[in-house]
Amino acid sequence: MSFISALPMLGAILLTAVSLAGCESKAKREFNAGCQSGGTDRSTCSCVYDKLEARYSPAVMQKLSEQHLNQFDLPPDFADSMLAAAQYCQSR
């Protein structure tokens, strides 16, 4: 296969890769950035976020990401859920 004939396929692959890279929500990107700044690897941070989002819903996670640090309105069991998710994600 020549380079010229492969261009459409390469373009499609590149477009798909770029599209998938932007699929994370803003809330997840911000959570991962904060989590990674604490020294945790990206896959663990992403796992924790996914566990929390499965428990609380994307809407709750988005709301939490929009709150100011001095006025967090966390669900009552959020800290325990976050700890359990972190332990699970680090042990896999």
Side-chain angles (χ1 to χ4, degrees):
M1 179 184 311
S2 74
F3 180 73
I4 301 292
S5 63
L7 278 178
M9 185 177 6
L10 291 173
I13 292 170
L14 181 61
L15 181 61
T16 301
V18 169
S19 296
L20 290 176
C23 286
E24 287 186 345
S25 68
K26 181 181 177 195
K28 185 171 185 175
R29 286 191 308 271
E30 290 175 354
F31 179 91
N32 283 343
C35 178
Q36 288 177 277
S37 73
T40 306
D41 66 273
R42 181 171 175 73
S43 66
T44 300
C45 292
S46 188
C47 174
V48 170
Y49 183 90
D50 292 342
K51 291 281 184 195
L52 292 173
E53 186 179 65
R55 180 173 179 87
Y56 296 107
S57 83
V60 169
M61 297 304 290
Q62 181 62 41
K63 180 183 171 208
L64 291 175
S65 77
E66 294 169 354
Q67 293 180 9
H68 296 286
L69 290 175
N70 59 354
Q71 49 182 268
F72 269 149
D73 182 24
L74 297 172
D77 64 342
F78 190 82
D80 291 336
S81 297
M82 183 176 235
L83 178 61
Q87 289 172 336
Y88 169 82
C89 293
Q90 289 175 340
S91 70
R92 45 177 200 124

